[in-house]
Amino acid sequence: MTRARAEVGDLVSDANGRRAIVTDIRQSTDWVLRPESGSPTTEWETGEPGTLDVIETRADRLSREKTT
């Protein structure tokens, strides 16, 4: 699934192939990411949202989690 830009809560793959959850978008310029699993305090940013590939949207993830 590809969308123009990742949104908060989406599961993405960054330019380095790391899977992450988008936790914040600051001033429409910096996307804040945290690992899909592991430490919730680890985070990094990207100013290039076009390098993020959406793996699963937040809505799809929540829907899937409700059914399992």
Side-chain angles (χ1 to χ4, degrees):
M1 159 179 271
T2 303
R3 185 172 36 189
R5 287 197 172 175
E7 297 177 3
V8 172
D10 289 352
L11 173 63
V12 300
S13 176
D14 73 4
N16 296 316
R18 296 179 289 187
R19 290 170 62 112
I21 303 291
V22 178
T23 60
D24 195 10
I25 300 172
R26 297 183 181 149
Q27 300 181 11
S28 297
T29 60
D30 293 312
W31 272 242
V32 182
L33 309 169
R34 69 162 174 79
E36 178 182 16
S37 60
S39 174
T41 59
T42 300
E43 65 180 33
W44 65 97
E45 297 182 11
T46 182
E48 299 177 19
T51 64
L52 299 174
D53 291 323
V54 177
I55 297 169
E56 190 173 27
T57 65
R58 177 180 185 269
D60 289 344
R61 236 181 52 248
L62 292 175
S63 176
R64 177 179 48 79
E65 289 172 358
K66 285 181 183 178
T67 61
T68 57

